[in-house]
Amino acid sequence: MNSAQILTRTFAFAIAIGMPCTHALSQQLLPIAGTYSVVSIAAFGANPLGQMILSNDGRYSIILTRSALPKIAAGARDKGTPEEDKTIVGGSIGHFGKYTVDAQQTTITFDIEASTFPNWNGTTSKRPLKVSGDLLSITNSTPSTGGPASETVWKRVK
């Protein structure tokens, strides 16, 4: 790769994470693009399951579930009992769209295109972000379940 390609990719990455290009070479970049598995999130109990993908082009997808969701006895997703459906909806969330990172404010902003919680469709959610090695912590001040802020800890998949 020649120096022009490296410079082009550096500026493209800076734009993808929301950093002004004038600071792209002088500031440390937050290389957070990648695939992560969930470590902890209080609302989903012990041993939550989940994956977050942050692409280099500013797209993301997140899915989180409790580790022990019930199987639907009827064997078809659209034939769950009210109790099965309530437990599954209460124990899972997914959304996707675009993201940007503000390295100076240490925040990540999700432009949510669609979610399994339809109230989030078409909304923007700016959340505090902490990066420590392969761990990434994001705090959601308005969780889909209501209540106090919730921190999700993610670990980069290698």
Side-chain angles (χ1 to χ4, degrees):
M1 183 179 309
N2 65 38
S3 61
Q5 289 172 316
I6 292 170
L7 187 58
T8 300
R9 288 183 181 193
T10 300
F11 282 117
F13 179 72
I15 290 168
I17 66 168
M19 181 180 286
C21 286
T22 56
H23 301 290
L25 297 177
S26 64
Q27 294 183 0
Q28 180 181 358
L29 299 176
L30 289 176
I32 67 166
T35 301
Y36 295 81
S37 61
V38 68
V39 173
S40 66
I41 177 170
F44 290 91
N47 304 309
L49 302 172
Q51 184 176 71
M52 176 173 64
I53 299 172
L54 302 171
S55 69
N56 286 322
D57 66 354
R59 307 274 319 157
Y60 83 92
S61 65
I62 295 173
I63 186 163
L64 288 162
T65 71
R66 291 185 181 277
S67 60
L69 291 177
K71 293 194 178 206
I72 296 174
R77 190 168 52 96
D78 64 346
K79 295 192 178 16
T81 66
E83 180 65 27
E84 290 168 335
D85 290 345
K86 182 178 180 182
T87 302
I88 292 167
V89 167
S92 62
I93 185 79
H95 54 96
F96 66 88
K98 296 178 183 175
Y99 79 98
T100 55
V101 171
D102 185 323
Q104 291 177 335
Q105 293 185 13
T106 59
T107 60
I108 187 166
T109 300
F110 295 112
D111 291 317
I112 302 168
E113 293 176 9
S115 173
T116 57
F117 179 54
N119 298 35
W120 283 359
N121 291 355
T123 65
T124 298
S125 180
K126 186 174 184 177
R127 303 173 183 184
L129 169 71
K130 292 182 220 163
V131 179
S132 178
D134 286 338
L135 294 178
L136 195 139
S137 299
I138 300 172
T139 301
N140 183 357
S141 61
T142 56
S144 61
T145 56
S150 173
E151 181 180 53
T152 306
V153 179
W154 301 92
K155 182 173 182 164
R156 185 183 297 273
V157 174
K158 293 185 177 189

